[in-house]
Amino acid sequence: AQRVTQPEKLLSVFKGAPVELKCNYSYSGSPELFWYVQYSRQRLQLLLRHISRESIKGFTADLNKGETSFHLKKPFAQEEDSAMYYCALDGDDKIIFGKGTRLHILP
Amino acid sequence: GAGVSQSPSNKVTEKGKDVELRCDPISGHTALYWYRQSLGQGLEFLIYFQGNSAPDKSGLPSDRFSAERTGGSVSTLTIQRTQQEDSAVYLCASTRAGTGGLAFFGQGTRLTVV
């Protein structure tokens, strides 16, 4: 079965502290994974994709096929990082989204 | 157009009434998705259209929900006999052929059933 799991519904982190948003997937093929973000009053948008291997707004995500994970990380949280984050998998026939994690950056 | 457009932005309706929500995808995008975001909740998949294939309706919560996509472009999500639990933000997204999981989302329609 194709599945994306984000185990944390809410994650609160102090400003300046490291952030790690967890994502695990289940997929039999070669996965393509994405992180999407939704800031307050803005539309849901792509943050990064694993094939780009880029850092966006200080965030990175490494695909770990052994652990079937694609965790999103940032070394030092900023207040503007507060948002809803979704992990997504390009499945066999459609995109599979996780349930999302709300990241709350504490001052 | 420049992006995925949804209308109306907000809709308040009385319980029991039917509503139609519209989505204009990016021109040339072959796939179209509908999702629902209830207050404080994540994305709930509703339905998926891909080209001329039969839509994937596996996420529709009840037979009160239906959607169609005319001419491979504009899509309408219809909710019949609305209930208070239908209150949510309904999101539409489209993708271009060959781009897999790269989706572009609309701003959503906030539906309130009173």
Side-chain angles (χ1 to χ4, degrees):
Chain A
Q2 302 169 75
R3 189 165 48 244
V4 175
T5 303
Q6 293 180 251
E8 302 137 330
K9 210 170 178 179
L10 172 67
L11 184 65
S12 296
V13 173
F14 284 102
K15 178 182 171 183
V19 175
E20 182 178 68
L21 298 168
K22 290 185 168 46
C23 172
N24 288 89
Y25 66 90
S26 174
Y27 185 63
S28 58
S30 184
E32 281 197 48
L33 287 144
F34 304 77
W35 276 98
Y36 284 79
V37 62
Q38 189 172 28
Y39 301 104
S40 180
R41 302 185 193 283
Q42 293 187 30
R43 63 181 66 193
L44 193 57
Q45 60 189 291
L46 179 71
L47 179 63
L48 55 80
R49 53 195 304 189
H50 92 271
I51 61 172
S52 300
R53 301 190 64 81
E54 57 195 343
S55 173
I56 304 293
K57 299 185 178 183
F59 284 98
T60 58
D62 291 319
L63 177 61
N64 186 323
K65 291 186 180 181
E67 295 183 357
T68 59
S69 69
F70 188 56
H71 304 327
L72 184 68
K73 299 178 183 179
K74 184 169 181 175
F76 307 104
Q78 297 172 284
E79 287 190 54
E80 54 264 35
D81 296 329
S82 291
M84 191 76 175
Y85 291 80
Y86 294 93
C87 183
L89 166 73
D90 182 19
D92 288 336
D93 57 354
K94 65 177 183 283
I95 304 171
I96 311 293
F97 279 91
K99 294 292 187 187
T101 297
R102 182 166 297 282
L103 178 62
H104 182 44
I105 305 301
L106 304 166
Chain B
V4 179
S5 178
Q6 292 186 244
S7 60
S9 298
N10 285 283
K11 176 74 177 177
V12 180
T13 190
E14 290 181 353
K15 178 180 169 182
K17 294 282 175 77
D18 298 350
V19 294
E20 283 189 354
L21 312 179
R22 178 187 168 105
C23 173
D24 280 277
I26 293 173
S27 178
H29 280 200
T30 56
L32 187 149
Y33 297 78
W34 282 99
Y35 296 93
R36 180 167 70 175
Q37 263 184 329
S38 301
L39 187 63
Q41 303 298 312
L43 283 178
E44 177 187 3
F45 166 74
L46 296 177
I47 188 168
Y48 164 61
F49 296 89
Q50 173 59 276
N52 296 319
S53 302
D56 178 348
K57 304 179 183 180
S58 60
L60 294 179
S62 76
D63 58 8
R64 295 187 296 105
F65 288 72
S66 63
E68 61 178 25
R69 189 178 185 194
T70 53
S73 181
V74 172
S75 178
T76 302
L77 177 68
T78 301
I79 309 173
Q80 296 178 307
R81 305 181 302 282
T82 52
Q83 303 295 314
Q84 287 187 331
E85 61 262 29
D86 299 334
S87 295
V89 176
Y90 289 82
L91 295 176
C92 174
S94 69
T95 69
R96 185 165 54 89
T99 61
L102 183 54
F104 293 84
F105 282 82
Q107 80 281 15
T109 294
R110 181 175 297 279
L111 175 67
T112 304
V113 182
V114 297

